[in-house]
mmCIF file of all heavy atoms in Angstrom:
data_model
loop_
_atom_site.group_PDB
_atom_site.id
_atom_site.type_symbol
_atom_site.label_atom_id
_atom_site.label_comp_id
_atom_site.label_asym_id
_atom_site.label_seq_id
_atom_site.Cartn_x
_atom_site.Cartn_y
_atom_site.Cartn_z
ATOM 1 N N GLY A 248 -71.433 -14.141 -46.313
ATOM 2 C CA GLY A 248 -72.684 -14.061 -47.052
ATOM 3 C C GLY A 248 -73.119 -12.710 -47.383
ATOM 4 O O GLY A 248 -73.650 -12.413 -48.482
ATOM 5 N N VAL A 249 -72.969 -11.809 -46.452
ATOM 6 C CA VAL A 249 -73.338 -10.377 -46.697
ATOM 7 C C VAL A 249 -72.536 -9.776 -47.790
ATOM 8 O O VAL A 249 -73.038 -9.160 -48.711
ATOM 9 C CB VAL A 249 -73.137 -9.535 -45.337
ATOM 10 C CG1 VAL A 249 -73.203 -8.015 -45.702
ATOM 11 C CG2 VAL A 249 -74.229 -9.931 -44.342
ATOM 12 N N LEU A 250 -71.208 -9.975 -47.772
ATOM 13 C CA LEU A 250 -70.362 -9.391 -48.781
ATOM 14 C C LEU A 250 -70.594 -9.998 -50.151
ATOM 15 O O LEU A 250 -70.540 -9.357 -51.199
ATOM 16 C CB LEU A 250 -68.937 -9.554 -48.399
ATOM 17 C CG LEU A 250 -68.548 -8.732 -47.115
ATOM 18 C CD1 LEU A 250 -67.035 -8.996 -46.724
ATOM 19 C CD2 LEU A 250 -68.716 -7.217 -47.422
ATOM 20 N N ALA A 251 -70.978 -11.312 -50.202
ATOM 21 C CA ALA A 251 -71.254 -11.947 -51.465
ATOM 22 C C ALA A 251 -72.474 -11.278 -52.092
ATOM 23 O O ALA A 251 -72.468 -10.994 -53.356
ATOM 24 C CB ALA A 251 -71.474 -13.426 -51.261
ATOM 25 N N GLU A 252 -73.542 -11.108 -51.344
ATOM 26 C CA GLU A 252 -74.714 -10.417 -51.931
ATOM 27 C C GLU A 252 -74.423 -8.916 -52.228
ATOM 28 O O GLU A 252 -74.980 -8.386 -53.241
ATOM 29 C CB GLU A 252 -75.897 -10.532 -50.928
ATOM 30 C CG GLU A 252 -76.350 -11.952 -50.573
ATOM 31 C CD GLU A 252 -76.557 -12.809 -51.849
ATOM 32 O OE1 GLU A 252 -77.289 -12.352 -52.749
ATOM 33 O OE2 GLU A 252 -75.946 -13.894 -51.906
ATOM 34 N N ALA A 253 -73.643 -8.232 -51.423
ATOM 35 C CA ALA A 253 -73.261 -6.907 -51.693
ATOM 36 C C ALA A 253 -72.546 -6.761 -52.947
ATOM 37 O O ALA A 253 -72.832 -5.831 -53.757
ATOM 38 C CB ALA A 253 -72.452 -6.365 -50.535
ATOM 39 N N LYS A 254 -71.665 -7.678 -53.259
ATOM 40 C CA LYS A 254 -70.901 -7.630 -54.574
ATOM 41 C C LYS A 254 -71.837 -7.971 -55.731
ATOM 42 O O LYS A 254 -71.679 -7.312 -56.783
ATOM 43 C CB LYS A 254 -69.766 -8.616 -54.545
ATOM 44 C CG LYS A 254 -68.673 -8.232 -53.540
ATOM 45 C CD LYS A 254 -67.626 -9.280 -53.353
ATOM 46 C CE LYS A 254 -66.528 -8.875 -52.313
ATOM 47 N NZ LYS A 254 -65.618 -9.971 -52.062
ATOM 48 N N LYS A 255 -72.824 -8.890 -55.555
ATOM 49 C CA LYS A 255 -73.761 -9.100 -56.621
ATOM 50 C C LYS A 255 -74.614 -7.824 -56.872
ATOM 51 O O LYS A 255 -74.957 -7.493 -57.994
ATOM 52 C CB LYS A 255 -74.678 -10.267 -56.216
ATOM 53 C CG LYS A 255 -74.007 -11.621 -56.370
ATOM 54 C CD LYS A 255 -74.655 -12.711 -55.555
ATOM 55 C CE LYS A 255 -76.120 -12.840 -55.876
ATOM 56 N NZ LYS A 255 -76.776 -14.013 -55.131
ATOM 57 N N ALA A 256 -74.968 -7.199 -55.799
ATOM 58 C CA ALA A 256 -75.758 -5.957 -55.918
ATOM 59 C C ALA A 256 -74.983 -4.914 -56.607
ATOM 60 O O ALA A 256 -75.501 -4.104 -57.414
ATOM 61 C CB ALA A 256 -76.210 -5.488 -54.529
ATOM 62 N N HIS A 257 -73.712 -4.820 -56.368
ATOM 63 C CA HIS A 257 -72.847 -3.773 -57.000
ATOM 64 C C HIS A 257 -72.816 -4.080 -58.482
ATOM 65 O O HIS A 257 -72.909 -3.109 -59.305
ATOM 66 C CB HIS A 257 -71.418 -3.941 -56.354
ATOM 67 C CG HIS A 257 -70.398 -3.031 -57.121
ATOM 68 N ND1 HIS A 257 -70.234 -1.689 -56.893
ATOM 69 C CD2 HIS A 257 -69.503 -3.337 -58.074
ATOM 70 C CE1 HIS A 257 -69.262 -1.219 -57.677
ATOM 71 N NE2 HIS A 257 -68.798 -2.219 -58.360
ATOM 72 N N ALA A 258 -72.659 -5.329 -58.856
ATOM 73 C CA ALA A 258 -72.605 -5.684 -60.282
ATOM 74 C C ALA A 258 -73.920 -5.409 -60.951
ATOM 75 O O ALA A 258 -74.018 -5.160 -62.173
ATOM 76 C CB ALA A 258 -72.260 -7.181 -60.425
ATOM 77 N N ALA A 259 -75.025 -5.415 -60.226
ATOM 78 C CA ALA A 259 -76.391 -5.215 -60.805
ATOM 79 C C ALA A 259 -76.707 -3.688 -60.679
ATOM 80 O O ALA A 259 -77.907 -3.325 -60.940
ATOM 81 C CB ALA A 259 -77.406 -6.041 -60.111
ATOM 82 N N ASN A 260 -75.831 -2.846 -60.277
ATOM 83 C CA ASN A 260 -76.098 -1.393 -60.146
ATOM 84 C C ASN A 260 -77.228 -1.029 -59.165
ATOM 85 O O ASN A 260 -77.957 -0.132 -59.389
ATOM 86 C CB ASN A 260 -76.414 -0.783 -61.565
ATOM 87 C CG ASN A 260 -75.301 -0.970 -62.527
ATOM 88 O OD1 ASN A 260 -74.155 -0.643 -62.240
ATOM 89 N ND2 ASN A 260 -75.584 -1.637 -63.679
ATOM 90 N N VAL A 261 -77.277 -1.807 -58.080
ATOM 91 C CA VAL A 261 -78.204 -1.588 -57.065
ATOM 92 C C VAL A 261 -77.787 -0.441 -56.175
ATOM 93 O O VAL A 261 -76.641 -0.213 -55.914
ATOM 94 C CB VAL A 261 -78.405 -2.851 -56.177
ATOM 95 C CG1 VAL A 261 -79.326 -2.516 -54.938
ATOM 96 C CG2 VAL A 261 -79.031 -3.972 -57.025
ATOM 97 N N ASP A 262 -78.795 0.427 -55.788
ATOM 98 C CA ASP A 262 -78.509 1.587 -54.949
ATOM 99 C C ASP A 262 -78.595 1.297 -53.465
ATOM 100 O O ASP A 262 -77.903 1.835 -52.602
ATOM 101 C CB ASP A 262 -79.444 2.710 -55.345
ATOM 102 C CG ASP A 262 -79.202 3.237 -56.715
ATOM 103 O OD1 ASP A 262 -78.166 3.608 -57.136
ATOM 104 O OD2 ASP A 262 -80.283 3.220 -57.477
ATOM 105 N N LEU A 263 -79.533 0.451 -53.085
ATOM 106 C CA LEU A 263 -79.828 0.174 -51.648
ATOM 107 C C LEU A 263 -80.118 -1.288 -51.504
ATOM 108 O O LEU A 263 -80.979 -1.892 -52.139
ATOM 109 C CB LEU A 263 -81.045 1.014 -51.260
ATOM 110 C CG LEU A 263 -81.593 0.812 -49.853
ATOM 111 C CD1 LEU A 263 -80.577 1.260 -48.788
ATOM 112 C CD2 LEU A 263 -82.929 1.515 -49.693
ATOM 113 N N VAL A 264 -79.407 -1.924 -50.556
ATOM 114 C CA VAL A 264 -79.646 -3.359 -50.279
ATOM 115 C C VAL A 264 -80.111 -3.492 -48.729
ATOM 116 O O VAL A 264 -79.424 -2.948 -47.879
ATOM 117 C CB VAL A 264 -78.334 -4.192 -50.470
ATOM 118 C CG1 VAL A 264 -78.682 -5.688 -50.294
ATOM 119 C CG2 VAL A 264 -77.825 -3.962 -51.808
ATOM 120 N N VAL A 265 -81.188 -4.208 -48.512
ATOM 121 C CA VAL A 265 -81.740 -4.393 -47.179
ATOM 122 C C VAL A 265 -81.555 -5.890 -46.826
ATOM 123 O O VAL A 265 -82.114 -6.761 -47.503
ATOM 124 C CB VAL A 265 -83.195 -3.970 -47.155
ATOM 125 C CG1 VAL A 265 -83.741 -4.237 -45.695
ATOM 126 C CG2 VAL A 265 -83.383 -2.473 -47.488
ATOM 127 N N PHE A 266 -80.796 -6.118 -45.774
ATOM 128 C CA PHE A 266 -80.553 -7.434 -45.288
ATOM 129 C C PHE A 266 -81.509 -7.798 -44.135
ATOM 130 O O PHE A 266 -82.156 -6.888 -43.523
ATOM 131 C CB PHE A 266 -79.157 -7.563 -44.841
ATOM 132 C CG PHE A 266 -78.108 -7.592 -45.888
ATOM 133 C CD1 PHE A 266 -77.574 -6.361 -46.328
ATOM 134 C CD2 PHE A 266 -77.679 -8.723 -46.461
ATOM 135 C CE1 PHE A 266 -76.615 -6.294 -47.354
ATOM 136 C CE2 PHE A 266 -76.697 -8.682 -47.482
ATOM 137 C CZ PHE A 266 -76.195 -7.549 -47.896
ATOM 138 N N PRO A 267 -81.602 -9.081 -43.696
ATOM 139 C CA PRO A 267 -82.512 -9.448 -42.643
ATOM 140 C C PRO A 267 -82.020 -8.941 -41.253
ATOM 141 O O PRO A 267 -80.889 -8.424 -41.100
ATOM 142 C CB PRO A 267 -82.490 -10.988 -42.636
ATOM 143 C CG PRO A 267 -82.005 -11.343 -44.011
ATOM 144 C CD PRO A 267 -81.082 -10.265 -44.371
ATOM 145 N N GLU A 268 -82.825 -9.073 -40.298
ATOM 146 C CA GLU A 268 -82.557 -8.725 -38.940
ATOM 147 C C GLU A 268 -81.417 -9.486 -38.246
ATOM 148 O O GLU A 268 -81.294 -10.672 -38.549
ATOM 149 C CB GLU A 268 -83.845 -8.970 -38.093
ATOM 150 C CG GLU A 268 -83.810 -8.472 -36.657
ATOM 151 C CD GLU A 268 -85.198 -8.719 -35.993
ATOM 152 O OE1 GLU A 268 -86.045 -9.373 -36.579
ATOM 153 O OE2 GLU A 268 -85.321 -8.256 -34.847
ATOM 154 N N LEU A 269 -80.610 -8.792 -37.496
ATOM 155 C CA LEU A 269 -79.403 -9.441 -36.912
ATOM 156 C C LEU A 269 -78.624 -10.313 -37.895
ATOM 157 O O LEU A 269 -78.217 -11.428 -37.591
ATOM 158 C CB LEU A 269 -79.850 -10.282 -35.668
ATOM 159 C CG LEU A 269 -80.498 -9.484 -34.470
ATOM 160 C CD1 LEU A 269 -80.904 -10.415 -33.421
ATOM 161 C CD2 LEU A 269 -79.509 -8.416 -33.958
ATOM 162 N N THR A 270 -78.351 -9.669 -38.995
ATOM 163 C CA THR A 270 -77.705 -10.380 -40.152
ATOM 164 C C THR A 270 -76.431 -11.062 -39.721
ATOM 165 O O THR A 270 -76.113 -12.234 -40.124
ATOM 166 C CB THR A 270 -77.380 -9.387 -41.264
ATOM 167 O OG1 THR A 270 -78.406 -8.429 -41.370
ATOM 168 C CG2 THR A 270 -77.235 -10.132 -42.578
ATOM 169 N N LEU A 271 -75.572 -10.328 -38.995
ATOM 170 C CA LEU A 271 -74.199 -10.843 -38.751
ATOM 171 C C LEU A 271 -74.189 -11.869 -37.643
ATOM 172 O O LEU A 271 -73.358 -12.828 -37.719
ATOM 173 C CB LEU A 271 -73.257 -9.669 -38.405
ATOM 174 C CG LEU A 271 -73.043 -8.560 -39.510
ATOM 175 C CD1 LEU A 271 -72.201 -7.480 -38.988
ATOM 176 C CD2 LEU A 271 -72.470 -9.250 -40.702
ATOM 177 N N SER A 272 -75.048 -11.804 -36.679
ATOM 178 C CA SER A 272 -74.971 -12.744 -35.568
ATOM 179 C C SER A 272 -75.922 -13.949 -35.727
ATOM 180 O O SER A 272 -75.675 -15.003 -35.183
ATOM 181 C CB SER A 272 -75.347 -12.021 -34.276
ATOM 182 O OG SER A 272 -76.708 -11.560 -34.323
ATOM 183 N N SER A 273 -76.933 -13.778 -36.514
ATOM 184 C CA SER A 273 -78.146 -14.666 -36.659
ATOM 185 C C SER A 273 -79.127 -14.211 -35.626
ATOM 186 O O SER A 273 -78.754 -13.518 -34.625
ATOM 187 C CB SER A 273 -77.815 -16.106 -36.443
ATOM 188 O OG SER A 273 -76.847 -16.608 -37.326
ATOM 189 N N TYR A 274 -80.412 -14.498 -35.806
ATOM 190 C CA TYR A 274 -81.491 -14.001 -34.961
ATOM 191 C C TYR A 274 -81.754 -14.941 -33.842
ATOM 192 O O TYR A 274 -81.745 -14.588 -32.634
ATOM 193 C CB TYR A 274 -82.738 -13.729 -35.811
ATOM 194 C CG TYR A 274 -83.932 -13.272 -34.911
ATOM 195 C CD1 TYR A 274 -84.053 -11.985 -34.488
ATOM 196 C CD2 TYR A 274 -84.828 -14.199 -34.571
ATOM 197 C CE1 TYR A 274 -85.101 -11.617 -33.726
ATOM 198 C CE2 TYR A 274 -85.920 -13.910 -33.777
ATOM 199 C CZ TYR A 274 -86.069 -12.581 -33.330
ATOM 200 O OH TYR A 274 -87.101 -12.181 -32.530
ATOM 201 N N ALA A 275 -82.009 -16.237 -34.198
ATOM 202 C CA ALA A 275 -82.488 -17.185 -33.204
ATOM 203 C C ALA A 275 -81.420 -17.883 -32.439
ATOM 204 O O ALA A 275 -81.174 -19.073 -32.562
ATOM 205 C CB ALA A 275 -83.396 -18.214 -33.926
ATOM 206 N N ILE A 276 -80.639 -17.043 -31.703
ATOM 207 C CA ILE A 276 -79.494 -17.672 -30.948
ATOM 208 C C ILE A 276 -79.668 -17.400 -29.432
ATOM 209 O O ILE A 276 -78.783 -17.692 -28.686
ATOM 210 C CB ILE A 276 -78.166 -17.052 -31.389
ATOM 211 C CG1 ILE A 276 -78.169 -15.545 -31.303
ATOM 212 C CG2 ILE A 276 -77.922 -17.501 -32.902
ATOM 213 C CD1 ILE A 276 -76.810 -14.966 -31.705
ATOM 214 N N ASP A 277 -80.825 -16.888 -29.005
ATOM 215 C CA ASP A 277 -81.206 -16.805 -27.622
ATOM 216 C C ASP A 277 -80.028 -16.210 -26.755
ATOM 217 O O ASP A 277 -79.549 -15.130 -27.073
ATOM 218 C CB ASP A 277 -81.590 -18.175 -27.135
ATOM 219 C CG ASP A 277 -82.863 -18.685 -27.815
ATOM 220 O OD1 ASP A 277 -83.807 -17.868 -27.920
ATOM 221 O OD2 ASP A 277 -82.927 -19.817 -28.248
ATOM 222 N N ASP A 278 -79.645 -16.954 -25.719
ATOM 223 C CA ASP A 278 -78.726 -16.334 -24.724
ATOM 224 C C ASP A 278 -77.318 -16.246 -25.293
ATOM 225 O O ASP A 278 -76.401 -15.619 -24.554
ATOM 226 C CB ASP A 278 -78.679 -17.208 -23.473
ATOM 227 C CG ASP A 278 -79.985 -17.018 -22.668
ATOM 228 O OD1 ASP A 278 -80.823 -16.186 -23.068
ATOM 229 O OD2 ASP A 278 -80.161 -17.702 -21.656
ATOM 230 N N LEU A 279 -77.055 -16.722 -26.521
ATOM 231 C CA LEU A 279 -75.752 -16.459 -27.094
ATOM 232 C C LEU A 279 -75.553 -14.959 -27.320
ATOM 233 O O LEU A 279 -74.418 -14.468 -27.457
ATOM 234 C CB LEU A 279 -75.547 -17.247 -28.425
ATOM 235 C CG LEU A 279 -75.634 -18.775 -28.285
ATOM 236 C CD1 LEU A 279 -75.325 -19.447 -29.652
ATOM 237 C CD2 LEU A 279 -74.660 -19.321 -27.238
ATOM 238 N N LEU A 280 -76.633 -14.232 -27.383
ATOM 239 C CA LEU A 280 -76.603 -12.786 -27.579
ATOM 240 C C LEU A 280 -75.941 -12.125 -26.319
ATOM 241 O O LEU A 280 -75.582 -10.951 -26.400
ATOM 242 C CB LEU A 280 -77.964 -12.229 -27.834
ATOM 243 C CG LEU A 280 -78.559 -12.544 -29.240
ATOM 244 C CD1 LEU A 280 -80.046 -12.283 -29.263
ATOM 245 C CD2 LEU A 280 -77.831 -11.654 -30.299
ATOM 246 N N LEU A 281 -75.876 -12.800 -25.249
ATOM 247 C CA LEU A 281 -75.318 -12.248 -24.012
ATOM 248 C C LEU A 281 -73.866 -12.667 -23.842
ATOM 249 O O LEU A 281 -73.262 -12.307 -22.756
ATOM 250 C CB LEU A 281 -76.196 -12.702 -22.821
ATOM 251 C CG LEU A 281 -77.634 -12.257 -22.874
ATOM 252 C CD1 LEU A 281 -78.416 -12.769 -21.667
ATOM 253 C CD2 LEU A 281 -77.772 -10.701 -22.991
ATOM 254 N N GLN A 282 -73.256 -13.231 -24.810
ATOM 255 C CA GLN A 282 -71.917 -13.676 -24.753
ATOM 256 C C GLN A 282 -70.995 -12.600 -25.273
ATOM 257 O O GLN A 282 -71.148 -12.133 -26.465
ATOM 258 C CB GLN A 282 -71.670 -14.969 -25.533
ATOM 259 C CG GLN A 282 -72.360 -16.165 -24.985
ATOM 260 C CD GLN A 282 -71.697 -16.620 -23.664
ATOM 261 O OE1 GLN A 282 -70.459 -16.809 -23.649
ATOM 262 N NE2 GLN A 282 -72.475 -16.825 -22.618
ATOM 263 N N HIS A 283 -70.031 -12.176 -24.519
ATOM 264 C CA HIS A 283 -69.149 -11.094 -24.965
ATOM 265 C C HIS A 283 -68.365 -11.397 -26.234
ATOM 266 O O HIS A 283 -68.093 -10.575 -27.060
ATOM 267 C CB HIS A 283 -68.210 -10.679 -23.828
ATOM 268 C CG HIS A 283 -68.792 -10.052 -22.612
ATOM 269 N ND1 HIS A 283 -69.399 -8.776 -22.671
ATOM 270 C CD2 HIS A 283 -69.028 -10.501 -21.353
ATOM 271 C CE1 HIS A 283 -69.868 -8.509 -21.510
ATOM 272 N NE2 HIS A 283 -69.657 -9.500 -20.684
ATOM 273 N N ALA A 284 -67.978 -12.695 -26.336
ATOM 274 C CA ALA A 284 -67.158 -13.079 -27.471
ATOM 275 C C ALA A 284 -67.961 -12.827 -28.765
ATOM 276 O O ALA A 284 -67.416 -12.357 -29.777
ATOM 277 C CB ALA A 284 -66.752 -14.531 -27.337
ATOM 278 N N LEU A 285 -69.222 -13.142 -28.730
ATOM 279 C CA LEU A 285 -70.044 -13.042 -29.941
ATOM 280 C C LEU A 285 -70.238 -11.516 -30.231
ATOM 281 O O LEU A 285 -70.077 -11.088 -31.410
ATOM 282 C CB LEU A 285 -71.406 -13.689 -29.694
ATOM 283 C CG LEU A 285 -72.369 -13.563 -30.977
ATOM 284 C CD1 LEU A 285 -72.077 -14.714 -31.929
ATOM 285 C CD2 LEU A 285 -73.782 -13.547 -30.572
ATOM 286 N N ILE A 286 -70.532 -10.710 -29.243
ATOM 287 C CA ILE A 286 -70.821 -9.270 -29.521
ATOM 288 C C ILE A 286 -69.564 -8.614 -30.003
ATOM 289 O O ILE A 286 -69.585 -7.815 -30.981
ATOM 290 C CB ILE A 286 -71.287 -8.629 -28.188
ATOM 291 C CG1 ILE A 286 -72.556 -9.255 -27.710
ATOM 292 C CG2 ILE A 286 -71.473 -7.092 -28.395
ATOM 293 C CD1 ILE A 286 -73.710 -9.259 -28.692
ATOM 294 N N GLU A 287 -68.428 -8.986 -29.458
ATOM 295 C CA GLU A 287 -67.146 -8.378 -29.973
ATOM 296 C C GLU A 287 -66.843 -8.840 -31.380
ATOM 297 O O GLU A 287 -66.367 -8.041 -32.179
ATOM 298 C CB GLU A 287 -66.038 -8.734 -29.007
ATOM 299 C CG GLU A 287 -66.156 -8.090 -27.610
ATOM 300 C CD GLU A 287 -65.155 -8.626 -26.602
ATOM 301 O OE1 GLU A 287 -64.378 -9.492 -26.973
ATOM 302 O OE2 GLU A 287 -65.180 -8.102 -25.454
ATOM 303 N N ARG A 288 -67.140 -10.090 -31.682
ATOM 304 C CA ARG A 288 -66.872 -10.587 -33.055
ATOM 305 C C ARG A 288 -67.814 -9.902 -34.059
ATOM 306 O O ARG A 288 -67.368 -9.642 -35.217
ATOM 307 C CB ARG A 288 -67.098 -12.056 -33.089
ATOM 308 C CG ARG A 288 -66.772 -12.750 -34.451
ATOM 309 C CD ARG A 288 -65.303 -12.623 -34.804
ATOM 310 N NE ARG A 288 -64.999 -13.104 -36.129
ATOM 311 C CZ ARG A 288 -65.025 -12.332 -37.256
ATOM 312 N NH1 ARG A 288 -65.383 -11.055 -37.219
ATOM 313 N NH2 ARG A 288 -64.700 -12.864 -38.428
#
């Protein structure tokens, strides 16, 4: 999802793109944030 929007921004000649908080992991995942597998991924 990040790369799809980044490519759209590139095509639109955007200089700076700001994504939401904890974009890659998701935000509302509670104790999954303490899982090594997730952090490494």
Side-chain angles (χ1 to χ4, degrees):
V249 166
L250 293 178
E252 299 309 309
K254 290 172 183 176
K255 285 161 55 178
H257 173 82
N260 300 306
V261 173
D262 297 303
L263 175 68
V264 186
V265 180
F266 289 89
E268 184 176 10
L269 296 178
T270 324
L271 296 178
S272 63
S273 302
Y274 175 82
I276 57 175
D277 296 315
D278 287 355
L279 298 185
L280 287 163
L281 301 178
Q282 293 289 310
H283 291 293
L285 182 87
I286 301 303
E287 291 170 0
R288 182 64 184 90

